């Protein structure tokens, strides 16, 4: 028995021909469709990258208890379980978050692994001098290191994606005749920055006369339509490069006759907003269909199903249990995911509804047709608590100030009797700014028309509460969402109707920067410049009292109010206009 998982990052199903994409050159994804089962209702769970990988390892959701972080001491790691049962496990990856503080316990669960450097802002090559020309110069964070890294990937054979697949194919050549192994080939692509080569860009010739640009900043789209189309073309080119790498794996399976006894899973962690609804990226905004509804392909020799589609609702938490089942192992009691063996064979349903979200963001539930995105009940987004024994963020340790109010909390049902450290949580963005959303994907697949339907919201909220309870969500999450810890959801708990103003406000496009004054103090000035003027400081603190926080003010110092509004709807257009007026009037906020 052998298994291969090919995992991409940020693979948008709407850009794949098997899911209806046109004018995308991806012949190997089409070939994969013909050789496997394609899932039409696969949803991610905990977002983004490392929370999704914790789900892969543990078969259970992460986001209600923990933000981005490593595997915890009480976690059952499925690759480790396979290793302990005599299955050799090997990881090849260029996903650089594995060697940051918040990913440090994942790759060591495999028998062996190879890590390739250079993606995004990976702290790889050391240059003291700044690059002469900075790529994506208007972006800010990460572009200096990315510019340096790319100098070492001048040709495609040197690219870390290519090297990752080279290594995976080396493993297959060496071990194809052996039994009992699992190979995970995982690339960071087509995650931004969308860096590829002329061979792949040639499929997407388009008009663009702006500066070098393949890495959009998360937030509202402030670029023109030509720039938006350019980014979509750059993403498509990188996806085509990924398709080429996928084809090499399919070729190897043909060459080594692996189809008869090798399970193949091709998946991703999440998608990406490429200008849809006026947004780039993920994480700040709700988890819309483009970001959470993911592609999934599975070939299972036991079923022998090829070029067929499955409608059953499945999630990332099911991938690990599917591997366990393939190798004849049982899931642990703590796992929420289930094997997809019967679903691959005959579209056997495995769940009525699926839960998804990001720590401190919307809590979401879908039944495959309707999607319910519940925001917090008020703008405090509180209470929010984080539970961990591994206090690290993505690339740093928790600061002492974050731990000063820590306390030891009772164990959860899945922590094997282990108590956890409870600390006040913080979130990237505030879901209250977007409001509570309810969509019918059958009649509104692009999620353009939010529903206000009390009866439907009541049904979806009860599904949500049932899943939260079965996952032993902390009481603070129920309080944050204003949902009952026990008993049914009732009419007084509903939020969609009450939060229509936030929904409407968050959908307003951001005016172009040219609509605001560029002379004197204004919303195009940095916060540091505004705070240097006593009247400007007074105006900002009256309209944005949160900036009285020294740490936050320093963090935002080189950002303008306009850029802040581009990042989050918490800086509303109304507030932006009021601040512009106040600064023009010498800092006087008009009643």
């Amino acid at each position: 028995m052998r298994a291969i998982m090919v995992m991409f990052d940020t693979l948008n199903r709407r850009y794949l021909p098997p899911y209806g994409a046109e004018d995308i050159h991806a012949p190997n994804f089409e070939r994969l469709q013909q050789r496997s089962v394609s899932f039409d209702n696969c949803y991610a769970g905990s977002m983004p990258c490392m929370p999704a990988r914790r789900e892969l390892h543990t078969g259970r959701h992460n986001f209600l208890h923990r933000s981005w972080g490593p595997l915890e001491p009480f976690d059952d790691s499925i690759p480790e379980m396979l290793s302990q049962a005599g299955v050799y496990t090997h990881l090849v990856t260029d996903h650089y978050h594995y060697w940051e503080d918040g990913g440090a316990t994942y790759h060591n669960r495999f028998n062996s692994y190879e890590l390739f450097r250079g993606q995004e802002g990976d702290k790889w090559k050391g240059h003291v001098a700044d690059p002469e020309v900075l790529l994506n110069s208007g972006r800010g964070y990460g572009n200096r290191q990315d510019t340096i890294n790319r100098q070492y990937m001048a040709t495609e054979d040197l690219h870390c994606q290519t090297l990752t697949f080279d290594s995976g194919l080396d493993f297959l050549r060496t071990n194809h005749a052996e039994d009992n192994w699992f190979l995970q080939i995982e690339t960071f692509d087509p995650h931004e920055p969308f860096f590829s080569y002329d061979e792949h860009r040639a499929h997407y010739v388009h008009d663009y006369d702006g500066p070098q640009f393949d890495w959009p900043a998360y937030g509202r789209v402030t670029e023109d339509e030509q720039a938006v189309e350019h980014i979509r073309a750059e993403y498509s080119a990188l996806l085509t490069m990924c398709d080429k790498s996928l084809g090499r794996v399919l070729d190897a399976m043909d060459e080594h006759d692996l189809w008869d006894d090798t399970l193949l899973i091709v998946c991703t962690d999440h998608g990406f907003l490429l200008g849809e609804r006026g947004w780039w990226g993920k994480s700040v905004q709700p988890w819309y269909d483009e970001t959470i509804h993911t592609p999934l392909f599975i070939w299972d020799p036991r079923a022998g199903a090829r070029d067929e589609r499955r409608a059953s609702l499945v999630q990332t938490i099911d991938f690990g249990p599917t591997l366990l089942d393939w190798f004849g192992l049982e899931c642990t009691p703590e796992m929420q995911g289930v094997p997809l063996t019967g679903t691959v064979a005959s579209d056997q349903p495995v769940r009525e509804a699926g839960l998804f979200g990001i720590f401190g963001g919307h809590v979401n539930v879908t039944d495959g047709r309707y999607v319910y995105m519940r925001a917090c009940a008020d703008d405090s987004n509180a209470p929010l608590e984080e539970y961990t024994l591994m206090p690290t963020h993505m690339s740093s340790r928790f600061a002492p100030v974050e731990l000063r109010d820590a306390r030891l909390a009772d164990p959860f049902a899945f922590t094997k009797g282990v108590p956890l450290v409870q600390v006040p949580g913080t979130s990237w963005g505030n879901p209250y700014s977007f409001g509570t959303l309810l969509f019918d994907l059958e009649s509104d697949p692009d999620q353009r028309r939010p529903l206000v339907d009390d009866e439907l919201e009541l049904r979806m909220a009860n599904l949500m509460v049932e899943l939260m309870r079965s996952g032993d969500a902390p009481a603070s999450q129920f309080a944050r969402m204003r949902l009952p810890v026990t008993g049914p959801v009732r009419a007084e708990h509903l939020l969609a109707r009450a939060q229509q103003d936030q929904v409407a406000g968050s959908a307003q496009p951001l005016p172009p920067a040219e609509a605001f004054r560029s002379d004197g103090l204004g919303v195009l000035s940095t916060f540091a410049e505004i705070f240097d003027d006593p009247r400007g400081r007074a105006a900002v603190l009256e309209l944005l009292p949160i900036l009285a926080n020294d740490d936050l003010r320093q963090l935002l110092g080189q950002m303008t109010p306009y850029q802040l509004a581009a990042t989050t709807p918490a800086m509303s257009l109304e507030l932006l206009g009021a601040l512009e007026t106040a600064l023009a009037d010498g800092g006087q906020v008009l009643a």
Side-chain angles (χ1 to χ4, degrees):
M1 306 290 280
R2 311 175 181 95
I4 301 170
M5 176 183 286
V6 179
M7 186 177 184
F8 297 94
D9 193 303
T10 314
L11 186 62
N12 191 326
R13 73 195 293 274
R14 297 185 177 210
Y15 278 69
L16 293 177
Y19 291 95
E22 299 178 352
D23 302 321
I24 298 293
H25 182 75
N28 292 301
F29 276 102
E30 296 181 86
R31 179 179 162 200
L32 174 65
Q33 175 190 6
Q34 296 165 2
R35 301 295 298 266
S36 66
V37 164
S38 307
F39 285 76
D40 291 325
N41 270 314
C42 180
Y43 280 77
S46 297
M47 292 288 100
C49 298
M50 298 321 290
R53 281 152 186 81
R54 191 175 178 207
E55 289 196 347
L56 282 170
H57 277 254
T58 65
R60 62 172 297 105
H61 293 309
N62 167 91
F63 75 97
L64 292 172
H65 304 84
R66 183 71 166 94
S67 61
W68 184 302
L71 286 172
E72 299 278 351
F74 49 81
D75 282 341
D76 294 308
S77 165
I78 286 164
E80 190 169 55
M81 291 173 62
L82 293 174
S83 297
Q84 292 169 348
V87 178
Y88 192 95
T89 60
H90 185 67
L91 169 69
V92 294
T93 183
D94 62 1
H95 198 286
Y96 74 101
H97 293 306
Y98 280 120
W99 47 88
E100 293 180 318
D101 290 338
T105 55
Y106 291 89
H107 54 278
N108 280 304
R109 308 283 72 76
F110 291 81
N111 285 100
S112 53
Y113 51 83
E114 288 190 78
L115 309 177
F116 297 91
R117 304 296 301 270
Q119 287 282 15
E120 200 182 37
D122 179 16
K123 298 174 183 178
W124 180 31
K125 297 294 186 179
H127 286 207
V128 176
D130 289 336
E132 292 184 9
V133 178
L134 201 61
L135 303 176
N136 295 292
S137 58
R139 185 186 183 278
Y141 172 77
N143 58 334
R144 180 188 186 277
Q145 186 65 56
D146 177 61
T147 301
I148 293 168
N149 290 347
R150 293 197 202 186
Q151 297 176 30
Y152 297 87
M153 295 183 280
T155 55
E156 189 172 343
D157 61 307
L158 300 176
H159 192 281
C160 39
Q161 179 196 144
T162 305
L163 297 176
T164 297
F165 279 85
D166 286 347
S167 177
L169 296 174
D170 284 343
F171 180 91
L172 292 180
R173 276 190 291 271
T174 302
N175 299 291
H176 67 89
E178 305 299 328
D179 198 12
N180 281 341
W181 51 256
F182 166 55
L183 169 65
Q184 183 168 323
I185 305 175
E186 179 182 345
T187 180
F188 194 63
D189 291 325
H191 191 289
E192 73 283 356
F194 307 133
F195 164 47
S196 63
Y197 299 88
D198 289 343
E199 172 191 343
H200 310 299
R201 293 194 191 100
H203 294 285
Y204 309 100
V205 177
H206 61 287
D207 294 326
Y208 178 68
D209 55 9
Q212 187 277 341
F213 180 40
D214 58 22
W215 192 357
Y218 288 10
R220 293 182 190 270
V221 174
T222 57
E223 296 81 3
D224 61 24
E225 187 58 32
Q226 186 185 68
V228 173
E229 290 305 314
H230 171 68
I231 282 292
R232 291 172 177 171
E234 295 289 89
Y235 175 84
S236 299
L238 184 53
L239 189 151
T240 294
M241 181 175 165
C242 292
D243 180 84
K244 179 180 177 181
S245 294
L246 172 65
R248 297 171 66 198
V249 176
L250 302 182
D251 289 345
M253 292 189 69
D254 288 341
E255 178 186 352
H256 302 305
D257 296 320
L258 294 176
W259 294 99
D260 290 341
D261 58 4
T262 305
L263 179 75
L264 174 66
I265 300 174
V266 178
C267 60
T268 189
D269 50 0
H270 52 70
F272 197 82
L273 284 170
L274 289 155
E276 296 86 358
R277 298 175 192 79
W279 285 87
W280 298 119
K282 59 184 187 292
S283 297
V284 173
Q285 58 279 93
W287 289 91
Y288 292 115
D289 196 73
E290 293 88 346
T291 54
I292 204 70
H293 192 175
T294 58
L296 174 65
F297 306 88
I298 298 180
W299 161 250
D300 186 334
R302 296 169 299 185
R306 298 183 186 273
D307 200 13
E308 296 183 16
R309 306 196 78 88
R310 299 293 180 255
S312 294
L313 177 62
V314 303
Q315 289 198 270
T316 308
I317 54 174
D318 301 324
F319 300 171
T322 301
L323 286 170
L324 290 177
D325 181 76
W326 170 253
F327 287 105
L329 301 178
E330 297 290 331
C331 295
T332 68
E334 292 79 16
M335 291 179 182
Q336 298 169 294
V338 294
L340 298 180
T341 308
T343 312
V344 173
S346 61
D347 212 2
Q348 175 183 310
V350 294
R351 62 176 47 82
E352 180 183 4
L355 200 67
F356 60 89
I358 190 172
F359 182 76
H362 287 79
V363 177
N364 312 270
V365 68
T366 182
D367 63 359
R369 173 176 175 178
Y370 297 103
V371 175
Y372 180 49
M373 303 172 164
R374 189 176 178 96
C376 47
D378 61 55
D379 61 3
S380 71
N381 197 24
L384 183 60
E385 300 166 349
E386 185 147 8
Y387 297 87
T388 184
L389 292 175
M390 304 285 289
T392 59
H393 297 301
M394 178 172 72
S395 56
S396 66
R397 299 165 294 170
F398 278 37
V401 67
E402 295 179 270
L403 298 171
R404 284 175 187 158
D405 294 324
R407 73 173 188 87
L408 199 61
D410 291 336
F412 288 97
F414 57 89
T415 66
K416 301 181 175 68
V418 177
L420 302 180
V421 176
Q422 175 193 307
V423 297
T426 57
S427 63
W428 186 0
N430 189 332
Y432 186 80
S433 304
F434 290 91
T436 294
L437 297 157
L438 179 63
F439 294 104
D440 180 353
L441 292 179
E442 185 175 290
S443 62
D444 182 23
D446 291 327
Q447 296 173 309
R448 300 291 183 183
R449 301 185 299 276
L451 301 173
V452 177
D453 183 326
D454 292 351
E455 183 177 352
L456 176 60
E457 184 182 1
L458 196 63
R459 183 176 76 82
M460 297 302 291
N462 272 296
L463 287 173
M464 175 180 292
V465 163
E466 182 180 333
L467 289 170
M468 290 174 67
R469 291 171 185 167
S470 66
D472 202 12
S476 57
Q477 290 284 10
F478 292 90
R480 184 175 73 97
M481 297 284 115
R482 197 186 296 161
L483 288 168
V485 176
T486 60
V489 180
R490 302 187 188 279
E492 61 265 27
H493 297 119
L494 302 184
L495 290 180
R497 189 177 300 277
Q499 294 186 346
Q500 288 184 78
D501 287 347
Q502 291 105 279
V503 173
S506 68
Q508 295 181 43
L510 188 68
E514 293 76 19
F516 298 93
R517 292 183 305 107
S518 58
D519 58 315
L521 282 185
V523 298
L524 301 183
S525 306
T526 67
F527 280 108
E529 292 169 336
I530 295 170
F531 267 83
D532 281 342
D533 184 291
R535 294 176 301 174
R537 177 188 179 92
V540 169
L541 290 181
E542 183 165 349
L543 291 168
L544 290 168
I546 192 173
L547 289 183
N549 180 296
D550 290 340
D551 291 338
L552 184 60
R553 191 169 64 251
Q554 290 176 16
L555 180 66
L556 300 179
Q558 296 309 308
M559 182 179 281
T560 68
Y562 181 82
Q563 290 171 327
L564 182 60
T567 301
T568 171
M571 179 69 174
S572 68
L573 303 186
E574 181 181 2
L575 190 59
L576 194 67
L579 183 57
E580 175 83 341
T581 300
L583 294 172
D585 292 338
Q588 182 181 359
V589 178
L590 302 179

